[in-house]
Amino acid sequence: MRDDPRDARLPTSPGFWRSPLRGPWFTSVLGLVLLAGITVLFVTGLLSYAAYNPDLAPVNDKTPDKGILGFYLFDWPTDPHWLYRLNQGVHVTLGLTLIPVLLAKLWSVVPRLFALPPARSLAHALERISLLLLVGGGLFEFVTGVLNVQLDYVFPGSFYPLHLYGAWVFFAAFVAHAALKTPTALRNVRRLREEKNDLISPRPAEPTVSRRGALWFVGGGSLLLFATTVGQNFGGPLRRTALLAPHGGAEPGSGPNGFQINKTAAYAGIDPAEAAVDAWRLVVTGRTGTVRLSRAQLAGLPLHSSALPIACVEGWSTPDQWWRGVRLRDLAALVGYEDDPPDVFVESLQRHGAFRKAALRANQVADPRSLLALYVNGEDLSPDHGHPARIIVPAAPGVLNTKWVARMTFGDL
């Protein structure tokens, strides 16, 4: 049926959508870029959540009702030591970089969201439902991800379950859509066969830019977002280019403790009297009982050094810092685990908030670079970096590197 010009002002009319840019080739190019990019986002997202060791202890698991969605094939490793830094940097930077591509793709297919009738057959109805899940899920995942990166916790619940469950809904719809559309998209891009479809306007307006020009515009937007985000993964002058990252400004202060902080002592509610050297004691519990150690006693134990970064879920990370302290496996040996260091449950002086308690796996405890750090870059830890003592573990998310440590309990969790 021909489009009635009298109905062209309604979005349900094909004639309402007059841009000459819309068409199979333009949509297919954007779709193939998203096919690769979103697949990487999904994989790095699952790896990021696995890095929290959510099946190790309830305190690490922020999605306790995930059921079969919470499968993990291996314990999170400690090598290479920059693994989480790379994984989360790719996840967040790529997610922000793909925003112009996603918006352009949605714009290119928006006429289909208003097409009538809503369903011409059962197969068509299922396709429309999958499309709604795809569009809704995509917008939900990108919006919640951006808000988390910007530390705007305005979600109707915890970010972790919302983002995880949303990712599975979105990716299921994405896989179904890709299976149906990828062969057609490849043909359109290769121009083996020109496929006319409902994306081409029956009464197109005069073009003001070519389709290739529009792709360059979208690519330029992605490049701009990349350039103003990627610096959060580095130190020095590059960090100042990360204008869209909450930790992307100048270094916090100067000197050995002048590197990025995820949570200050004041924000965490640390009582200075409890953290004072003369009052603080580390309580270590294990197979043979409990020992209490002052900071001076810890400093008298064999000390070791590790060059490790801090990397957080928001995508920012520090360069390698030079930490010095007591190996976690040596602390385990003090309470009866000389040859077989087990898991450890770590508790902080922090009274409230997420990750004031955390669990580490045996392989993390056994790694010789895993420390209860007392010093960083040759000086005592500052209060904001965890004085009097903090955990530092290779390849672990920043929140598992517990600061202001008060108690460590070794044993099977």
Side-chain angles (χ1 to χ4, degrees):
M1 184 174 66
R2 295 179 60 84
D3 184 39
D4 189 341
R6 294 173 297 179
D7 295 330
R9 53 190 174 180
L10 299 176
T12 53
S13 169
F16 179 86
W17 310 99
R18 301 193 60 200
S19 173
L21 295 179
R22 289 191 180 92
W25 184 83
F26 185 70
T27 298
S28 297
V29 171
L30 295 172
L32 291 174
V33 172
L34 289 175
L35 176 64
I38 288 175
T39 301
V40 173
L41 284 181
F42 185 71
V43 172
T44 53
L46 289 182
L47 289 175
S48 175
Y49 193 71
Y52 285 75
N53 295 322
D55 58 338
L56 176 62
V59 294
N60 287 25
D61 190 359
K62 300 304 175 183
T63 58
D65 299 320
K66 61 186 178 296
I68 62 172
L69 301 183
F71 64 89
Y72 299 104
L73 303 179
F74 54 88
D75 292 343
W76 189 251
T78 56
D79 279 311
H81 72 275
W82 39 259
L83 177 62
Y84 188 77
R85 179 184 184 185
L86 173 65
N87 183 84
Q88 202 60 18
V90 169
H91 184 74
V92 172
T93 303
L94 179 60
L96 291 172
T97 300
L98 285 177
I99 287 176
V101 184
L102 176 70
L103 294 178
K105 178 67 161 62
L106 294 178
W107 173 86
S108 73
V109 298
V110 70
R112 288 179 175 167
L113 299 180
F114 294 91
L116 293 177
R120 296 188 295 269
S121 63
L122 177 60
H124 184 247
L126 293 175
E127 181 181 354
R128 292 296 295 272
I129 291 172
S130 69
L131 186 62
L132 288 176
L133 291 175
L134 181 69
V135 173
L139 290 175
F140 179 83
E141 285 299 288
F142 277 82
V143 169
T144 54
V146 169
L147 289 174
N148 184 64
V149 169
Q150 297 301 323
L151 308 181
D152 291 327
Y153 300 114
V154 294
F155 317 111
S158 172
F159 166 77
Y160 294 97
L162 289 173
H163 204 65
L164 178 69
Y165 300 150
W168 278 106
V169 171
F170 168 58
F171 196 70
F174 178 76
V175 169
H177 185 76
L180 291 171
K181 300 297 183 181
T182 297
T184 301
L186 290 172
R187 287 196 301 269
N188 288 331
V189 170
R190 293 170 179 169
R191 294 188 180 275
L192 296 180
R193 179 160 60 95
E194 183 69 16
E195 296 193 8
K196 303 295 183 181
N197 63 20
D198 55 340
L199 295 178
I200 298 177
S201 175
R203 42 194 300 270
E206 286 296 319
T208 57
V209 64
S210 68
R211 287 175 178 169
R212 292 185 184 275
L215 287 178
W216 278 109
F217 179 76
V218 173
S222 290
L223 183 62
L224 179 63
L225 288 176
F226 176 83
T228 52
T229 302
V230 71
Q232 68 177 335
N233 298 291
F234 306 96
L238 275 178
R239 188 177 295 281
R240 298 188 181 93
T241 67
L243 303 177
L244 299 182
H247 297 271
E251 304 292 346
S254 59
N257 280 273
F259 56 95
Q260 257 42 49
I261 297 165
N262 64 344
K263 188 183 299 179
T264 66
Y267 179 86
I270 301 302
D271 183 349
E274 281 190 289
V277 172
D278 57 348
W280 177 84
R281 296 293 184 272
L282 173 70
V283 179
V284 184
T285 301
R287 180 187 289 160
T288 57
T290 298
V291 298
R292 295 170 61 87
L293 300 167
S294 68
R295 198 171 188 278
Q297 288 172 316
L298 284 167
L301 295 174
L303 300 183
H304 300 269
S305 298
S306 299
L308 298 173
I310 294 176
C312 282
V313 68
E314 295 92 2
W316 66 268
S317 60
T318 73
D320 288 355
Q321 308 298 319
W322 195 254
W323 308 91
R324 189 163 179 79
V326 182
R327 288 175 173 171
L328 297 188
R329 67 185 190 183
D330 292 342
L331 290 172
L334 291 178
V335 289
Y337 298 98
E338 290 82 2
D339 301 320
D340 55 342
D343 307 331
V344 63
F345 182 62
V346 184
E347 299 173 76
S348 173
L349 291 174
Q350 182 181 342
R351 293 287 188 269
H352 307 287
F355 294 104
R356 63 187 182 276
K357 302 175 182 179
L360 298 173
R361 289 192 182 278
N363 68 308
Q364 294 173 310
V365 175
D367 193 294
R369 297 164 295 179
S370 298
L371 303 177
L372 179 73
L374 306 176
Y375 311 97
V376 65
N377 299 324
E379 287 195 5
D380 284 352
L381 295 168
S382 69
D384 287 342
H385 279 300
H387 186 274
R390 69 168 296 160
I391 298 292
I392 187 72
V393 173
V399 291
L400 297 186
N401 292 313
T402 307
K403 298 194 285 189
W404 314 290
V405 176
R407 180 183 291 271
M408 302 176 69
T409 304
F410 289 92
D412 294 333
L413 302 180

